[in-house]
Amino acid sequence: MQFQLTGQQIEVTPALRAHAESRLDRLTRLDERCQGLTMVLSIDKLQHCADATLTTTGAALHAAACGADMYASIDLVFDKLAAQLRRHRDKVTDKHPQEARDARQFG
């Protein structure tokens, strides 16, 4: 999966990049069809904000979070993306057994 991390009004340190990449593994474990993640870190007065867009097969999921700490904002964004990815995966997963579909089709 492609991962792009940029900063607005903030320098992306190796520690911030390492923290975000460590959280990235959680999303790939949920769904291996993730294609890319673009994350923008910014500071607005005293708010540390993180915006992320995750592209998967069939959808683009977006989450944003602001807080007093950049690491907490990154964690919150990944929590929101994980919840959205779970909902998306459950929505596209076929829950009907194969036998029931065959019986309806030919019955």
Side-chain angles (χ1 to χ4, degrees):
M1 174 168 50
Q2 294 179 351
F3 177 61
Q4 182 180 8
L5 182 64
T6 57
Q8 283 184 328
Q9 308 296 330
I10 185 174
E11 179 183 346
V12 179
T13 62
L16 282 174
R17 182 172 295 280
H19 184 74
E21 287 176 352
S22 70
R23 298 295 180 171
L24 189 62
D25 184 45
R26 180 176 169 200
L27 295 178
T28 55
R29 278 187 285 140
L30 283 174
D31 194 359
E32 58 276 348
R33 294 176 292 186
C34 296
Q35 296 170 348
L37 177 69
T38 304
M39 182 176 279
V40 178
L41 306 177
S42 63
I43 294 180
D44 184 31
K45 293 190 180 178
L46 297 176
Q47 292 289 330
H48 296 260
C49 298
D51 295 329
T53 303
L54 177 69
T55 55
T56 64
T57 306
L61 308 174
H62 180 76
C66 291
D69 183 26
M70 187 60 76
Y71 293 99
S73 298
I74 291 172
D75 291 342
L76 193 55
V77 162
F78 275 104
D79 290 343
K80 288 180 179 183
L81 282 175
Q84 288 181 19
L85 190 58
R86 267 191 220 97
R87 282 195 307 265
H88 174 69
R89 186 187 61 195
D90 290 343
K91 187 167 77 170
V92 298
T93 302
D94 189 18
K95 297 175 184 71
H96 299 291
Q98 181 67 29
E99 306 86 41
R101 282 187 285 166
D102 291 341
R104 277 187 292 163
Q105 185 178 17
F106 298 114

